[in-house]
Amino acid sequence: MRIFSLVSAIWRTCSLYQQSSDFSMITSQLLVYVAVLVLCVLKVSSRDTFIAAVYEHAVKLPNATLVPVSHEEALALMNQNLDLLEAAITSAANQGAHIIVTPEDGIYGWNFSRETIYPYLEDIPDPGVNWIPCNNPKRFGYTPVQERLSCLAKDNSIYIVANIGDKKPCNASDSQCPLDGRYQYNTDVVFDSQGKLVARYHKHNLFMGENQFNVPKKPEVVTFDTNFGRFGIFTCFDILFYDPAVTLVKDFHVDTIVFPTAWMNVLPHLSAIQFHSAWAMGMGVNFLASNIHHPSKRMTGSGIYAPDSPRAFHYDMKTKEGKLLLSQLDSYTHHRIMVNWTSYASSIKAFPTENQEFTGTAFFDEFTFLELTRVTGNYTVCQKKLCCHLSYKMSEKRTDEVYALGAFDGLHVVEGRYYLQICTLLKCKTAHVHTCGGAVETASTRFEMFSLSGTFGTQYVFPEVLLSETQLAPGEFQVSSDGRLFSMKPLSGPLLTVTLFGRIYEKDQTLKASSDPRSQVPGVMLLVIIPIVCSLSW
């Protein structure tokens, strides 16, 4: 408004000179002045950096029940969680944070059927309605959670990202309307620093067991603009698929992703801090990941990740308390380094070896492995079209620890279907090679150097380095433009895995039944007996 008023005043001044023979010259000079002034004002109002916060929340869970509780009981539980979130939000704001991300399921937890989640849902309008719930809480019915989040954002002058449930009525005129007459969505909301609802995202890629929710009819690509960059949003399991995750970066050019999640850690390649930091580096964006803290379900791991390195992260399987993280980030990240992920690996010949290949299973996928038998060496292992090359040097070759180089090129079919190409250096669970690929949390062997590459058939490759006790290695490795993941110095701790995690999205096979809203009806529950990665419902 200030810019508009200033420009209007200048044009009014111009009108005084309309009778002058020098009018054209004066007008041209004033227009140049206005253009420069506008650019200066925009520069001042835009921030080159911002302070991000994420909160790993120890959620208070509802009691398991087959019968829906009252709205009052549901709100009481949600307010208990909001009390904890309020303390984190206030603390973050007092420390200068501009935005805070809270977890998926962070307000009401899990243990729901389609019927029992209903008292916790609110009608969340399209952000285009221009609504500040704190100022007008009754505009869209009974919305106490949105009102409280809006007031928290407004009172603390901070952007808040939260995860709640949305409900939308439907009828027989909609051929996809569920039998109970409503759609229910796992939903992320964003309130700006004035308390205005500025973004709403319905999770598209629901995980196994999320039968309380419907899949949107098409993927939603949701962005919101701030004076510290353009943001995109998606939820948990979405990260493994093209839409909306890759689309937000590739086509909508977001600078930062906000990512509420309820992520269960799955080693060796899908622990939260490991994969989320790798996605940030692989896609060249900031990534704000907020996870639930529930160690008994292996749920921990939140972080603030820049494209070049993690800025702050938290992994804690020992305590029961939540954790607030803050860090400064660059607002704009349009300096992504283009990587040809197959360039180097395709230019060299396979390293000769006398070692015998063997197979092993990592998270239900059958890898081809080679054991690293020396303290230093060069190895190549192939599976189908993928060949992985490794050069390395250990600080010592221990007799009680075995490392292997592995390759996987195939369709993952457990807890989702997605096509992977993976090159990995990993520690085996025991000193026997038949345990290679199993989950390992500790190691003793340090690596002086490594260089890993592969003949990938995709541009979407995510580089992971994970140290003993599930810790990251900020600033200790990088990726070259010809597709090598290599260490820049001896690693600061014993090594668990070095991995290039590739996704070939076009080879995915879709499970159509799971995305049919009509198949999601009251009383239907799915018992899952294998490790769950995202958003439990039991």
Side-chain angles (χ1 to χ4, degrees):
M1 290 299 296
R2 292 179 180 177
I3 295 173
F4 178 78
S5 300
L6 182 58
V7 173
S8 298
I10 293 173
W11 274 109
R12 286 196 299 271
T13 303
C14 286
S15 65
L16 299 176
Y17 291 92
Q18 285 182 351
Q19 305 303 318
S20 170
S21 61
D22 295 331
F23 173 69
S24 297
M25 182 182 70
I26 294 171
T27 302
S28 298
Q29 291 173 341
L30 285 171
L31 284 174
V32 171
Y33 172 76
V34 169
V36 172
L37 184 61
V38 168
L39 288 174
C40 290
V41 172
L42 288 175
K43 180 67 175 177
V44 170
S45 64
S46 177
R47 303 185 60 88
D48 292 329
T49 63
F50 70 102
I51 297 176
V54 302
Y55 182 57
E56 181 161 308
H57 172 45
V59 62
K60 293 185 178 295
L61 298 173
N63 295 322
T65 177
L66 298 177
V67 179
V69 300
S70 67
H71 287 288
E72 291 75 18
E73 289 176 282
L75 183 59
L77 174 76
M78 291 190 286
N79 274 326
Q80 290 182 54
N81 281 302
L82 284 165
D83 289 344
L84 296 172
L85 296 180
E86 178 176 352
I89 291 166
T90 303
S91 177
N94 289 340
Q95 296 178 69
H98 299 93
I99 186 169
I100 183 169
V101 185
T102 62
E104 180 185 26
D105 297 337
I107 291 178
Y108 45 63
W110 47 87
N111 291 326
F112 295 113
S113 69
R114 184 173 176 83
E115 291 175 313
T116 58
I117 189 71
Y118 186 71
Y120 297 82
L121 308 181
E122 294 185 0
D123 183 5
I124 306 170
D126 186 293
V129 299
N130 191 27
W131 181 41
I132 299 177
C134 190
N135 296 349
N136 190 2
K138 305 299 183 183
R139 181 178 172 188
F140 295 98
Y142 185 62
T143 56
V145 174
Q146 292 174 83
E147 178 186 357
R148 187 167 179 185
L149 289 169
S150 171
C151 291
L152 283 172
K154 180 181 178 181
D155 294 345
N156 290 282
S157 298
I158 190 173
Y159 279 73
I160 295 176
V161 182
N163 177 262
I164 56 180
D166 189 12
K167 59 182 179 181
K168 291 288 180 282
C170 58
N171 54 46
S173 64
D174 179 354
S175 63
Q176 297 186 51
C177 183
L179 298 179
D180 55 11
R182 62 179 182 265
Y183 292 105
Q184 299 180 172
Y185 298 115
N186 180 333
T187 308
D188 298 328
V189 291
V190 182
F191 295 92
D192 71 9
S193 56
Q194 304 301 312
K196 179 181 176 181
L197 177 68
V198 294
R200 179 196 68 186
Y201 168 69
H202 296 139
K203 183 179 179 182
H204 187 76
N205 298 286
L206 298 180
F207 193 69
M208 297 177 66
E210 286 191 87
N211 298 298
Q212 69 270 40
F213 293 121
N214 296 105
V215 177
K217 294 179 181 178
K218 62 180 181 179
E220 300 174 357
V221 181
V222 175
T223 66
F224 58 99
D225 291 306
T226 73
N227 68 340
F228 46 94
R230 167 168 280 194
F231 286 70
I233 186 167
F234 55 84
T235 313
C236 207
F237 201 42
D238 284 326
I239 196 174
L240 283 169
F241 301 93
Y242 191 90
D243 286 317
V246 176
T247 297
L248 280 165
V249 179
K250 184 175 180 290
D251 297 333
F252 289 79
H253 310 293
V254 298
D255 303 293
T256 302
I257 294 292
V258 291
F259 183 68
T261 186
W263 190 282
M264 291 182 79
N265 294 295
V266 179
L267 292 169
H269 302 129
L270 284 172
S271 70
I273 61 173
Q274 172 190 25
F275 188 66
H276 302 160
S277 60
W279 203 92
M281 179 174 283
M283 296 304 298
V285 292
N286 297 322
F287 197 87
L288 312 183
S290 172
N291 199 4
I292 290 289
H293 187 76
H294 200 81
S296 66
K297 295 288 187 183
R298 301 191 313 283
M299 301 173 81
T300 181
S302 302
I304 299 171
Y305 310 112
D308 58 339
S309 184
R311 293 292 188 265
F313 64 92
H314 178 68
Y315 179 91
D316 172 21
M317 288 289 290
K318 298 177 181 178
T319 69
K320 297 181 179 180
E321 291 76 30
K323 179 70 174 181
L324 177 66
L325 302 175
L326 294 97
S327 186
Q328 181 173 287
L329 291 170
D330 291 336
S331 299
Y332 304 98
T333 58
H334 299 313
H335 52 266
R336 182 184 177 195
I337 299 174
M338 297 306 296
V339 177
N340 184 336
W341 285 105
T342 194
S343 177
Y344 176 78
S346 298
S347 69
I348 64 173
K349 294 181 179 179
F351 296 124
T353 181
E354 297 178 355
N355 293 7
Q356 185 70 37
E357 291 182 354
F358 62 96
T359 59
T361 300
F363 193 36
F364 304 99
D365 296 324
E366 188 173 279
F367 280 68
T368 301
F369 283 114
L370 275 175
E371 182 184 356
L372 310 189
T373 57
R374 301 187 301 272
V375 70
T376 184
N378 303 290
Y379 288 91
T380 297
V381 66
C382 300
Q383 185 178 108
K384 297 181 182 178
K385 295 182 179 181
L386 177 66
C387 286
C388 305
H389 304 298
L390 171 70
S391 298
Y392 71 94
K393 181 180 179 182
M394 301 176 184
S395 56
E396 63 173 330
K397 181 68 177 74
R398 298 173 60 99
T399 58
D400 60 341
E401 291 192 330
V402 170
Y403 284 80
L405 171 65
F408 176 74
D409 184 355
L411 183 69
H412 179 85
V413 295
V414 176
E415 299 181 356
R417 299 172 67 90
Y418 39 91
Y419 200 97
L420 302 174
Q421 285 188 325
I422 298 176
C423 291
T424 185
L425 158 63
L426 54 75
K427 178 182 179 284
C428 302
K429 192 168 186 178
T430 71
H432 299 285
V433 294
H434 71 269
T435 65
C436 294
V440 180
E441 297 182 357
T442 60
S444 299
T445 300
R446 294 174 181 263
F447 278 69
E448 299 291 326
M449 64 81 61
F450 64 81
S451 176
L452 180 65
S453 62
T455 56
F456 290 94
T458 177
Q459 63 177 307
Y460 300 108
V461 179
F462 309 108
E464 304 177 346
V465 176
L466 192 66
L467 303 182
S468 183
E469 298 184 347
T470 315
Q471 295 298 302
L472 301 180
E476 298 180 31
F477 65 92
Q478 66 181 41
V479 172
S480 62
S481 60
D482 61 1
R484 286 172 293 151
L485 169 58
F486 63 93
S487 57
M488 296 188 292
K489 55 186 177 181
L491 294 178
S492 59
L495 181 68
L496 291 182
T497 63
V498 174
T499 302
L500 291 171
F501 189 102
R503 279 286 284 114
I504 304 183
Y505 299 104
E506 60 269 24
K507 289 190 176 183
D508 290 355
Q509 296 182 16
T510 304
L511 292 174
K512 295 182 180 179
S514 66
S515 61
D516 184 354
R518 291 168 295 182
S519 69
Q520 298 165 329
V521 297
V524 176
M525 293 290 289
L526 177 66
L527 178 63
V528 181
I529 59 174
I530 48 182
I532 293 181
V533 177
C534 277
S535 193
L536 293 86
S537 65
W538 55 273

